[in-house]
Amino acid sequence: MNFSVLFRKEVKESLKTYRLLIVVALLVVFGLTTPLILKFLPKILEMSGEAIPFQLPVFTASDAIKSYLGNLGQIGLLIAVLVSMGAISQERERRTAVMTLSKPAGFGAFVTAKLAVLALTFAIGLILGAAGCYLYSVVLLGPFAAGSFVLINLLAFTYLLVCISLTLMFSALFRNQLAAGGLALNQESPGPGIP
């Protein structure tokens, strides 16, 4: 078995378990709701009937992009860890990895195929979610430089790829997927005093 066979196997598994659909849907919903929340927050607070002791600023597309990026760093990290923490450890636990690796397939191709499918999944989700966020931000809140937004999302994808890689490493080291996820979150979250 070479990389392409393992890659196709992982794509089929990702579609069969709805992992691809879930990740893409979460990132799209997340991307679409960020500008909507900022646009309608003053109206929502006004409709609540509570007196607000301060004046809300007028939100711009730049504010929506900053909020999107900040939330992506937190929610995207959580999605990346939850999706990839059992990628290898679950197969080791169920002994299905033994069947795959007993064929002429190397462990490197096995792990790389999993990483490639997870990267593809997050790339699709991030592209669609970012496109929705950008379009809603521009339509609802005003213009924003498209080149800067593309660069921001490339950096966000790189960050998520590092998170996925680290989680896959821990998933390969431990049979328990909770241990893999916990260690990955511990390594990826900033320590005390780090903003």
Coordinates of all heavy atoms in Angstrom, one line a residue, residues 94-191:
R94 N -8.6 -0.2 18.6 CA -9.5 -1.2 17.9 C -8.7 -2.2 17.2 O -9.3 -3.1 16.6 CB -10.5 -0.5 17.0 CG -11.4 0.4 17.7 CD -12.3 1.1 16.7 NE -13.3 2.0 17.4 CZ -14.0 2.9 16.8 NH1 -13.9 3.0 15.5 NH2 -14.8 3.6 17.5
R95 N -7.4 -2.1 17.1 CA -6.5 -3.0 16.4 C -6.7 -3.0 14.8 O -6.4 -3.9 14.2 CB -6.7 -4.4 16.9 CG -6.5 -4.5 18.4 CD -5.2 -5.3 18.7 NE -5.1 -5.5 20.1 CZ -4.1 -5.1 20.8 NH1 -3.1 -4.4 20.2 NH2 -4.0 -5.3 22.1
T96 N -7.3 -1.9 14.3 CA -7.4 -1.8 12.9 C -6.2 -1.3 12.2 O -5.9 -1.5 11.0 CB -8.6 -0.9 12.4 OG1 -8.5 0.4 13.1 CG2 -10.0 -1.5 12.9
A97 N -5.4 -0.6 13.0 CA -4.1 -0.1 12.5 C -3.1 -1.3 12.2 O -2.3 -1.2 11.2 CB -3.4 0.9 13.5
V98 N -3.3 -2.4 13.0 CA -2.4 -3.5 12.8 C -2.7 -4.2 11.4 O -1.8 -4.6 10.7 CB -2.6 -4.6 13.9 CG1 -1.9 -5.8 13.6 CG2 -2.2 -4.0 15.2
M99 N -4.0 -4.2 11.0 CA -4.3 -4.8 9.7 C -3.8 -3.9 8.6 O -3.2 -4.4 7.6 CB -5.9 -4.9 9.6 CG -6.4 -5.9 10.5 SD -8.2 -6.2 10.3 CE -8.9 -4.9 9.4
T100 N -3.9 -2.6 8.7 CA -3.4 -1.7 7.7 C -1.8 -1.8 7.6 O -1.3 -1.9 6.5 CB -3.8 -0.3 8.0 OG1 -5.2 -0.2 8.1 CG2 -3.3 0.7 6.9
L101 N -1.2 -1.8 8.7 CA 0.3 -1.8 8.8 C 0.9 -3.2 8.5 O 2.1 -3.3 8.2 CB 0.8 -1.2 10.1 CG 0.5 0.2 10.3 CD1 0.9 0.7 11.7 CD2 1.2 1.1 9.3
S102 N 0.1 -4.2 8.5 CA 0.6 -5.6 8.2 C 0.8 -5.7 6.7 O 1.5 -6.6 6.2 CB -0.3 -6.6 8.7 OG -1.6 -6.6 8.0
K103 N 0.1 -4.9 5.9 CA 0.2 -4.9 4.5 C 1.5 -4.1 4.2 O 2.1 -3.5 5.0 CB -1.0 -4.2 3.8 CG -2.3 -4.8 4.4 CD -3.2 -5.1 3.2 CE -4.6 -5.6 3.6 NZ -4.7 -6.6 4.6
P104 N 1.9 -4.0 2.9 CA 3.2 -3.3 2.6 C 2.9 -1.8 2.7 O 3.0 -1.1 1.7 CB 3.5 -3.7 1.2 CG 2.3 -4.3 0.7 CD 1.5 -4.8 1.8
A105 N 2.6 -1.3 3.9 CA 2.4 0.1 4.1 C 3.3 0.6 5.3 O 3.2 0.0 6.3 CB 0.9 0.4 4.4
G106 N 4.0 1.6 5.0 CA 4.9 2.1 6.1 C 4.1 3.0 7.1 O 3.0 3.6 6.7
F107 N 4.6 3.1 8.3 CA 4.0 4.0 9.3 C 4.0 5.4 8.8 O 3.1 6.2 9.1 CB 4.7 3.8 10.6 CG 3.9 4.4 11.8 CD1 2.7 3.9 12.2 CD2 4.4 5.6 12.4 CE1 2.0 4.5 13.3 CE2 3.7 6.2 13.4 CZ 2.5 5.6 13.9
G108 N 5.0 5.8 8.1 CA 5.1 7.2 7.7 C 4.0 7.5 6.7 O 3.4 8.6 6.8
A109 N 3.7 6.6 5.7 CA 2.6 6.8 4.8 C 1.3 6.8 5.5 O 0.4 7.6 5.2 CB 2.7 5.8 3.7
F110 N 1.2 6.0 6.5 CA -0.1 5.8 7.3 C -0.4 7.2 8.0 O -1.5 7.7 7.9 CB 0.1 4.7 8.3 CG -1.0 4.5 9.3 CD1 -2.2 3.9 8.8 CD2 -0.9 4.8 10.6 CE1 -3.3 3.7 9.7 CE2 -1.9 4.6 11.5 CZ -3.1 4.0 11.0
V111 N 0.6 7.7 8.7 CA 0.4 9.0 9.4 C 0.3 10.2 8.4 O -0.6 11.1 8.6 CB 1.6 9.2 10.4 CG1 1.5 10.6 11.0 CG2 1.6 8.1 11.4
T112 N 1.1 10.2 7.4 CA 1.0 11.3 6.4 C -0.3 11.3 5.7 O -0.9 12.4 5.4 CB 2.1 11.2 5.4 OG1 3.4 11.0 6.1 CG2 2.2 12.4 4.5
A113 N -0.9 10.2 5.4 CA -2.3 10.2 4.8 C -3.3 10.7 5.7 O -4.2 11.5 5.3 CB -2.6 8.7 4.4
K114 N -3.2 10.4 7.0 CA -4.1 11.0 7.9 C -4.0 12.5 8.1 O -4.9 13.3 8.1 CB -4.0 10.3 9.3 CG -4.4 8.9 9.3 CD -4.4 8.3 10.7 CE -4.9 6.9 10.8 NZ -6.3 6.8 10.4
L115 N -2.7 12.9 8.1 CA -2.4 14.4 8.2 C -2.9 15.1 6.9 O -3.5 16.2 7.0 CB -0.9 14.6 8.4 CG -0.5 16.1 8.4 CD1 -1.1 16.8 9.6 CD2 1.0 16.1 8.5
A116 N -2.7 14.5 5.8 CA -3.2 15.1 4.5 C -4.7 15.3 4.4 O -5.2 16.3 4.0 CB -2.6 14.3 3.3
V117 N -5.4 14.3 4.9 CA -6.9 14.3 4.8 C -7.4 15.3 5.8 O -8.3 16.1 5.5 CB -7.5 12.9 5.0 CG1 -9.0 13.0 5.2 CG2 -7.2 12.1 3.8
L118 N -6.8 15.4 7.0 CA -7.2 16.4 8.0 C -6.9 17.8 7.5 O -7.7 18.7 7.7 CB -6.5 16.1 9.4 CG -7.1 14.9 10.1 CD1 -6.2 14.6 11.3 CD2 -8.5 15.2 10.6
A119 N -5.7 18.0 6.9 CA -5.4 19.3 6.4 C -6.3 19.7 5.3 O -6.8 20.8 5.2 CB -3.9 19.2 5.9
L120 N -6.7 18.7 4.4 CA -7.6 19.0 3.3 C -9.0 19.4 3.9 O -9.6 20.3 3.4 CB -7.7 17.8 2.4 CG -8.7 17.9 1.2 CD1 -8.2 19.0 0.2 CD2 -8.8 16.6 0.5
T121 N -9.4 18.7 4.9 CA -10.7 18.9 5.5 C -10.7 20.3 6.1 O -11.7 21.1 5.9 CB -11.0 17.9 6.7 OG1 -11.0 16.6 6.1 CG2 -12.3 18.2 7.4
F122 N -9.7 20.7 6.8 CA -9.7 22.0 7.4 C -9.5 23.1 6.4 O -10.0 24.2 6.6 CB -8.6 22.1 8.5 CG -9.1 21.6 9.9 CD1 -9.1 20.3 10.2 CD2 -9.7 22.5 10.8 CE1 -9.5 19.8 11.4 CE2 -10.1 22.0 12.0 CZ -10.1 20.7 12.3
A123 N -8.8 22.8 5.3 CA -8.6 23.8 4.3 C -9.9 24.1 3.6 O -10.3 25.3 3.4 CB -7.6 23.3 3.2
I124 N -10.7 23.1 3.3 CA -12.0 23.3 2.7 C -12.9 24.1 3.6 O -13.6 25.1 3.2 CB -12.7 22.0 2.3 CG1 -11.9 21.3 1.2 CG2 -14.1 22.2 1.9 CD1 -12.3 19.8 0.9
G125 N -12.9 23.7 4.9 CA -13.8 24.4 5.9 C -13.3 25.9 6.1 O -14.2 26.8 6.2
L126 N -12.0 26.1 6.1 CA -11.5 27.4 6.3 C -11.8 28.3 5.1 O -12.1 29.5 5.3 CB -10.0 27.4 6.7 CG -9.4 28.6 7.3 CD1 -10.1 28.9 8.6 CD2 -7.9 28.4 7.5
I127 N -11.6 27.8 3.9 CA -11.9 28.5 2.7 C -13.3 29.0 2.7 O -13.7 30.2 2.4 CB -11.5 27.8 1.5 CG1 -10.0 27.7 1.3 CG2 -12.1 28.4 0.2 CD1 -9.5 26.7 0.3
L128 N -14.3 28.0 2.9 CA -15.7 28.4 2.8 C -16.1 29.3 4.0 O -16.8 30.3 3.8 CB -16.5 27.1 2.8 CG -16.4 26.2 1.6 CD1 -17.2 24.9 1.8 CD2 -16.8 26.9 0.4
G129 N -15.6 29.0 5.2 CA -15.9 29.9 6.3 C -15.4 31.3 6.2 O -16.0 32.3 6.5
A130 N -14.1 31.4 5.7 CA -13.5 32.7 5.5 C -14.2 33.5 4.4 O -14.4 34.7 4.5 CB -12.0 32.5 5.2
A131 N -14.6 32.8 3.3 CA -15.3 33.5 2.3 C -16.6 34.0 2.8 O -17.0 35.2 2.5 CB -15.6 32.5 1.1
G132 N -17.4 33.2 3.6 CA -18.6 33.7 4.1 C -18.4 34.9 5.1 O -19.1 35.9 5.1
C133 N -17.4 34.8 5.9 CA -17.1 35.9 6.9 C -16.7 37.1 6.1 O -17.2 38.2 6.5 CB -15.9 35.4 7.8 SG -15.4 36.7 9.0
Y134 N -15.9 37.0 5.1 CA -15.5 38.2 4.3 C -16.7 38.9 3.6 O -16.8 40.1 3.7 CB -14.4 37.8 3.3 CG -13.9 39.0 2.6 CD1 -13.0 39.9 3.2 CD2 -14.3 39.3 1.3 CE1 -12.5 41.0 2.5 CE2 -13.8 40.4 0.6 CZ -12.9 41.3 1.2 OH -12.5 42.4 0.6
L135 N -17.5 38.0 3.0 CA -18.6 38.6 2.2 C -19.6 39.3 3.2 O -20.1 40.4 2.9 CB -19.3 37.5 1.4 CG -18.5 37.0 0.2 CD1 -19.2 35.8 -0.5 CD2 -18.3 38.1 -0.8
Y136 N -19.9 38.6 4.3 CA -20.9 39.2 5.2 C -20.3 40.5 5.9 O -21.0 41.4 6.1 CB -21.2 38.2 6.3 CG -22.4 37.3 6.0 CD1 -22.7 36.9 4.7 CD2 -23.3 36.9 7.0 CE1 -23.8 36.1 4.4 CE2 -24.4 36.1 6.8 CZ -24.6 35.8 5.5 OH -25.7 35.0 5.2
S137 N -19.0 40.4 6.2 CA -18.3 41.6 6.8 C -18.4 42.8 5.8 O -18.7 43.9 6.2 CB -16.9 41.3 7.1 OG -16.8 40.3 8.1
V138 N -18.1 42.6 4.5 CA -18.0 43.7 3.6 C -19.5 44.2 3.3 O -19.7 45.4 3.3 CB -17.4 43.2 2.3 CG1 -17.6 44.2 1.1 CG2 -15.9 43.0 2.5
V139 N -20.4 43.3 3.2 CA -21.8 43.7 2.9 C -22.4 44.4 4.1 O -23.1 45.5 4.0 CB -22.7 42.5 2.5 CG1 -24.1 42.8 2.5 CG2 -22.2 42.0 1.1
L140 N -22.2 43.9 5.3 CA -22.9 44.4 6.5 C -22.1 45.5 7.2 O -22.7 46.4 7.8 CB -23.1 43.3 7.5 CG -24.1 42.2 7.1 CD1 -24.1 41.1 8.1 CD2 -25.5 42.7 6.9
L141 N -20.8 45.5 7.1 CA -20.0 46.4 8.0 C -19.1 47.3 7.2 O -18.5 48.3 7.8 CB -19.2 45.6 9.0 CG -20.0 44.8 10.0 CD1 -19.2 43.8 10.7 CD2 -20.9 45.6 10.9
G142 N -18.8 47.1 5.9 CA -18.0 48.0 5.2 C -16.8 47.3 4.6 O -16.6 46.1 4.8
P143 N -16.0 48.0 3.8 CA -14.9 47.4 3.1 C -13.7 46.9 4.0 O -13.5 47.5 5.1 CB -14.4 48.5 2.1 CG -14.8 49.7 2.8 CD -16.0 49.4 3.5
F144 N -13.0 45.9 3.5 CA -11.8 45.4 4.1 C -10.9 44.9 3.0 O -11.3 44.3 2.1 CB -12.1 44.3 5.2 CG -10.9 43.9 6.0 CD1 -10.5 44.7 7.1 CD2 -10.2 42.8 5.7 CE1 -9.4 44.3 7.8 CE2 -9.1 42.4 6.5 CZ -8.8 43.2 7.5
A145 N -9.6 45.1 3.2 CA -8.6 44.6 2.2 C -8.6 43.1 2.0 O -8.4 42.4 3.0 CB -7.2 45.1 2.5
A146 N -8.9 42.6 0.8 CA -9.0 41.2 0.6 C -7.6 40.5 0.7 O -7.5 39.4 1.2 CB -9.5 41.0 -0.8
G147 N -6.6 41.2 0.3 CA -5.2 40.6 0.4 C -4.8 40.3 1.8 O -4.3 39.3 2.1
S148 N -5.1 41.3 2.7 CA -4.8 41.1 4.1 C -5.6 39.9 4.7 O -5.1 39.1 5.5 CB -5.1 42.4 4.9 OG -4.3 43.4 4.4
F149 N -6.9 39.8 4.3 CA -7.7 38.8 4.8 C -7.2 37.4 4.3 O -7.2 36.4 5.1 CB -9.2 39.0 4.3 CG -10.1 38.1 5.0 CD1 -10.4 38.1 6.3 CD2 -10.8 37.1 4.2 CE1 -11.3 37.3 6.9 CE2 -11.7 36.2 4.8 CZ -11.9 36.3 6.1
V150 N -6.8 37.3 3.1 CA -6.2 36.0 2.6 C -5.0 35.6 3.4 O -4.8 34.5 3.8 CB -5.9 36.1 1.1 CG1 -5.1 34.9 0.6 CG2 -7.2 36.2 0.3
L151 N -4.1 36.6 3.6 CA -2.9 36.3 4.4 C -3.2 35.9 5.8 O -2.6 35.0 6.4 CB -2.0 37.6 4.4 CG -0.7 37.4 5.2 CD1 0.2 36.4 4.5 CD2 0.1 38.8 5.2
I152 N -4.2 36.6 6.4 CA -4.6 36.2 7.8 C -5.1 34.8 7.8 O -4.8 34.0 8.7 CB -5.7 37.2 8.3 CG1 -5.2 38.5 8.6 CG2 -6.5 36.6 9.5 CD1 -6.2 39.6 8.8
N153 N -5.9 34.4 6.8 CA -6.4 33.0 6.8 C -5.3 32.0 6.5 O -5.4 30.8 7.0 CB -7.6 32.9 5.8 CG -8.8 33.4 6.5 OD1 -9.4 32.8 7.3 ND2 -9.2 34.6 6.1
L154 N -4.3 32.3 5.7 CA -3.2 31.4 5.5 C -2.4 31.2 6.8 O -2.0 30.1 7.1 CB -2.3 32.0 4.4 CG -2.8 31.9 3.0 CD1 -1.8 32.6 2.0 CD2 -2.9 30.4 2.5
L155 N -2.2 32.2 7.5 CA -1.6 32.1 8.8 C -2.4 31.3 9.8 O -1.9 30.4 10.5 CB -1.2 33.5 9.4 CG -0.2 34.3 8.7 CD1 -0.1 35.7 9.3 CD2 1.2 33.6 8.8
A156 N -3.7 31.5 9.8 CA -4.6 30.7 10.6 C -4.6 29.2 10.2 O -4.6 28.3 11.1 CB -6.1 31.2 10.5
F157 N -4.5 28.9 8.9 CA -4.4 27.6 8.5 C -3.1 26.9 8.9 O -3.1 25.8 9.3 CB -4.6 27.5 6.9 CG -4.4 26.1 6.4 CD1 -5.4 25.1 6.6 CD2 -3.3 25.7 5.7 CE1 -5.2 23.8 6.1 CE2 -3.1 24.5 5.2 CZ -4.1 23.5 5.4
T158 N -2.0 27.7 8.9 CA -0.8 27.2 9.3 C -0.8 26.8 10.8 O -0.3 25.8 11.2 CB 0.4 28.2 9.0 OG1 0.4 28.5 7.6 CG2 1.7 27.7 9.4
Y159 N -1.4 27.7 11.6 CA -1.6 27.5 13.0 C -2.4 26.2 13.3 O -2.0 25.3 14.1 CB -2.3 28.7 13.7 CG -2.7 28.4 15.1 CD1 -1.8 28.3 16.1 CD2 -4.1 28.3 15.4 CE1 -2.3 28.1 17.4 CE2 -4.5 28.1 16.7 CZ -3.6 28.0 17.7 OH -4.0 27.8 19.0
L160 N -3.5 26.0 12.5 CA -4.3 24.8 12.7 C -3.6 23.6 12.3 O -3.8 22.5 12.9 CB -5.7 25.0 11.9 CG -6.6 26.0 12.5 CD1 -7.9 26.1 11.6 CD2 -7.1 25.6 13.9
L161 N -2.8 23.7 11.2 CA -2.0 22.6 10.8 C -1.0 22.1 11.8 O -0.8 20.9 12.0 CB -1.3 22.9 9.5 CG -0.8 21.8 8.6 CD1 -1.9 20.8 8.3 CD2 -0.2 22.3 7.3
V162 N -0.4 23.1 12.5 CA 0.5 22.7 13.6 C -0.2 22.1 14.7 O 0.3 21.1 15.3 CB 1.3 24.0 14.1 CG1 2.0 23.7 15.4 CG2 2.2 24.5 13.0
C163 N -1.4 22.6 15.1 CA -2.2 21.9 16.1 C -2.6 20.5 15.7 O -2.5 19.6 16.6 CB -3.5 22.8 16.3 SG -3.2 24.4 17.0
I164 N -3.0 20.3 14.5 CA -3.3 18.9 14.0 C -2.1 18.0 14.1 O -2.2 16.9 14.5 CB -3.9 19.0 12.6 CG1 -5.3 19.7 12.6 CG2 -4.1 17.6 12.0 CD1 -5.8 20.1 11.2
S165 N -1.0 18.5 13.6 CA 0.2 17.7 13.6 C 0.6 17.3 15.0 O 1.0 16.1 15.3 CB 1.4 18.5 13.0 OG 1.1 18.8 11.7
L166 N 0.6 18.2 15.9 CA 0.9 17.9 17.3 C 0.0 16.9 18.0 O 0.4 16.0 18.7 CB 1.0 19.2 18.1 CG 1.6 19.2 19.5 CD1 3.0 18.7 19.5 CD2 1.5 20.5 20.2
T167 N -1.3 17.1 17.6 CA -2.3 16.2 18.2 C -2.1 14.8 17.6 O -2.3 13.8 18.3 CB -3.7 16.7 17.9 OG1 -3.8 18.0 18.4 CG2 -4.8 15.8 18.6
L168 N -1.8 14.7 16.3 CA -1.5 13.4 15.7 C -0.3 12.7 16.3 O -0.3 11.5 16.5 CB -1.3 13.6 14.2 CG -2.5 13.5 13.3 CD1 -2.2 13.7 11.8 CD2 -3.3 12.2 13.4
M169 N 0.7 13.5 16.6 CA 1.9 12.9 17.3 C 1.5 12.3 18.6 O 1.9 11.2 18.9 CB 2.9 14.0 17.5 CG 4.2 13.5 18.2 SD 5.3 14.8 18.7 CE 4.5 15.5 20.1
F170 N 0.7 13.0 19.4 CA 0.3 12.5 20.7 C -0.7 11.3 20.5 O -0.7 10.3 21.3 CB -0.4 13.5 21.6 CG 0.6 14.5 22.2 CD1 0.5 15.9 21.9 CD2 1.7 14.0 22.9 CE1 1.4 16.7 22.5 CE2 2.6 14.9 23.5 CZ 2.5 16.3 23.3
S171 N -1.4 11.3 19.4 CA -2.3 10.2 19.1 C -1.6 9.0 18.8 O -2.0 7.8 19.1 CB -3.3 10.6 18.0 OG -4.2 9.6 17.7
A172 N -0.4 9.1 18.1 CA 0.4 8.0 17.8 C 1.2 7.5 19.0 O 1.5 6.3 19.1 CB 1.4 8.4 16.7
L173 N 1.5 8.4 19.9 CA 2.2 7.9 21.1 C 1.4 7.2 22.2 O 1.9 6.4 22.9 CB 2.9 9.1 21.8 CG 4.1 9.8 21.0 CD1 4.5 11.1 21.7 CD2 5.2 8.8 20.8
F174 N 0.1 7.6 22.3 CA -0.8 7.0 23.3 C -1.9 6.3 22.7 O -2.5 6.7 21.7 CB -1.3 8.2 24.2 CG -0.2 8.9 24.9 CD1 0.3 10.1 24.4 CD2 0.4 8.4 26.1 CE1 1.3 10.8 25.1 CE2 1.4 9.1 26.7 CZ 1.8 10.3 26.2
R175 N -2.3 5.2 23.3 CA -3.5 4.5 22.9 C -4.8 5.2 23.3 O -5.8 5.0 22.6 CB -3.5 3.1 23.5 CG -2.5 2.1 22.9 CD -2.7 0.7 23.5 NE -1.7 -0.1 22.9 CZ -1.9 -1.0 22.0 NH1 -3.1 -1.2 21.5 NH2 -0.9 -1.8 21.6
N176 N -4.8 5.9 24.3 CA -6.0 6.6 24.8 C -6.1 8.0 24.1 O -5.2 8.8 24.2 CB -5.9 6.8 26.3 CG -7.1 7.3 26.9 OD1 -8.0 7.8 26.2 ND2 -7.2 7.2 28.2
Q177 N -7.2 8.2 23.4 CA -7.4 9.4 22.7 C -7.6 10.6 23.6 O -7.3 11.7 23.2 CB -8.5 9.3 21.6 CG -9.9 9.0 22.2 CD -10.9 8.8 21.1 OE1 -10.8 9.4 20.0 NE2 -11.9 7.9 21.3
L178 N -8.2 10.4 24.8 CA -8.3 11.5 25.7 C -6.9 12.0 26.2 O -6.8 13.2 26.4 CB -9.2 11.1 26.9 CG -10.6 10.8 26.6 CD1 -11.4 10.4 27.8 CD2 -11.3 12.1 26.0
A179 N -6.0 11.1 26.4 CA -4.7 11.5 26.7 C -4.0 12.3 25.6 O -3.4 13.3 25.9 CB -3.8 10.3 27.1
A180 N -4.2 11.9 24.4 CA -3.7 12.6 23.2 C -4.3 14.0 23.1 O -3.5 15.0 22.9 CB -4.0 11.8 22.0
G181 N -5.6 14.1 23.3 CA -6.2 15.4 23.2 C -5.8 16.3 24.4 O -5.6 17.5 24.2
G182 N -5.8 15.8 25.6 CA -5.4 16.6 26.7 C -4.0 17.1 26.6 O -3.7 18.3 26.9
L183 N -3.1 16.2 26.2 CA -1.7 16.7 26.0 C -1.5 17.7 24.9 O -0.8 18.6 25.0 CB -0.7 15.5 25.8 CG -0.4 14.6 27.0 CD1 0.2 13.3 26.6 CD2 0.4 15.4 28.0
A184 N -2.3 17.5 23.8 CA -2.2 18.5 22.7 C -2.7 19.8 23.2 O -2.1 20.9 22.9 CB -3.0 18.0 21.5
L185 N -3.8 19.8 23.9 CA -4.4 21.1 24.4 C -3.4 21.8 25.4 O -3.3 23.0 25.4 CB -5.8 20.9 25.0 CG -6.9 20.8 24.1 CD1 -8.2 20.4 24.8 CD2 -7.1 22.0 23.3
N186 N -2.8 21.0 26.2 CA -1.9 21.5 27.2 C -0.7 22.1 26.5 O -0.2 23.2 26.9 CB -1.4 20.4 28.1 CG -0.6 20.9 29.3 OD1 -0.8 22.0 29.8 ND2 0.5 20.2 29.6
Q187 N -0.2 21.5 25.4 CA 1.0 22.1 24.7 C 0.6 23.3 23.8 O 1.4 24.2 23.6 CB 1.5 21.0 23.7 CG 2.1 19.8 24.5 CD 3.2 20.1 25.4 OE1 4.1 20.9 25.1 NE2 3.2 19.6 26.6
E188 N -0.6 23.4 23.3 CA -1.0 24.4 22.4 C -1.6 25.6 23.1 O -1.7 26.7 22.5 CB -2.0 23.9 21.4 CG -1.4 22.8 20.5 CD -2.4 22.0 19.8 OE1 -3.6 22.1 20.0 OE2 -2.0 21.1 19.1
S189 N -2.0 25.5 24.4 CA -2.5 26.7 25.1 C -1.4 27.5 25.7 O -0.5 26.9 26.2 CB -3.6 26.3 26.1 OG -3.0 25.5 27.1
P190 N -1.6 28.8 25.7 CA -0.5 29.6 26.3 C -0.5 29.5 27.8 O -1.5 29.3 28.4 CB -0.9 31.1 25.9 CG -2.3 31.0 25.5 CD -2.6 29.6 25.1
G191 N 0.7 29.6 28.4 CA 0.8 29.5 29.8 C 0.4 30.7 30.5 O 0.0 31.7 29.9

